[in-house]
Amino acid sequence: MKLRESYTCPLEIVHDVIKGKWKTIIIFQLRNGKCSFSELRHSIAGITQKMLLEQLHELKSFGLINKKTYDGYPLKVEYFLTKRGEKMLSAIKIMQEIGIEYMIEHDMTDILDEKGICY
């Protein structure tokens, strides 16, 4: 994904950087530190391998995540948040809290229970 040539405000840039279904979820999954590709793939229900690769590539190009590749066989790659990614995570945690509040208000706590999300 490529950013536009011009923007009218900084929020437009941030929106373009994180828009889509998966990017905020990937960042949230990296909140506890480094994760391998397979760990990310198994922790995000519904994402395909191709989509995860694309989203990781975009997040890396925007400077929100980075990866470390280890020598040897089998190939081992770990993804982690950069300083910018950690800042974005702070905003995503607030978004998560708002989502939880909404779900509680609208009797959707069964989903929270199913996912093991405390409320």
Side-chain angles (χ1 to χ4, degrees), residues 3-113:
L3 294 177
R4 293 180 271 156
E5 292 293 321
S6 64
Y7 288 90
T8 60
C9 78
L11 283 175
E12 284 183 295
I13 296 170
V14 174
H15 178 267
D16 281 359
V17 167
I18 64 165
K19 73 180 172 185
K21 182 176 181 179
W22 304 110
K23 289 188 187 91
T24 54
I25 295 170
I26 293 167
I27 291 168
F28 192 76
Q29 290 300 325
L30 290 171
R31 72 191 178 278
N32 295 323
K34 295 179 181 176
C35 278
S36 70
F37 181 85
S38 63
E39 288 171 330
L40 284 170
R41 172 84 170 81
H42 288 84
S43 68
I44 303 171
I47 193 167
T48 64
Q49 182 172 332
K50 179 181 181 221
M51 182 57 68
L52 180 55
L53 283 169
E54 287 175 14
Q55 299 298 287
L56 288 168
H57 177 74
E58 288 182 18
L59 288 167
K60 187 174 182 298
S61 71
F62 296 138
L64 295 172
I65 67 166
N66 210 337
K67 69 179 183 177
K68 180 172 173 66
T69 305
Y70 297 88
D71 292 333
Y73 183 82
L75 179 65
K76 182 178 178 183
V77 178
E78 289 183 324
Y79 295 90
F80 57 93
L81 295 174
T82 62
K83 292 289 185 198
R84 182 179 294 155
E86 289 173 2
K87 284 183 184 178
M88 185 65 74
L89 176 61
S90 297
I92 291 169
K93 285 180 177 179
I94 293 168
M95 293 165 59
Q96 170 89 340
E97 290 171 13
I98 293 167
I100 290 169
E101 289 171 5
Y102 183 89
M103 294 177 96
I104 292 168
E105 290 168 6
H106 292 87
D107 297 320
M108 301 166 76
T109 55
D110 54 328
I111 297 166
L112 298 173
D113 294 336

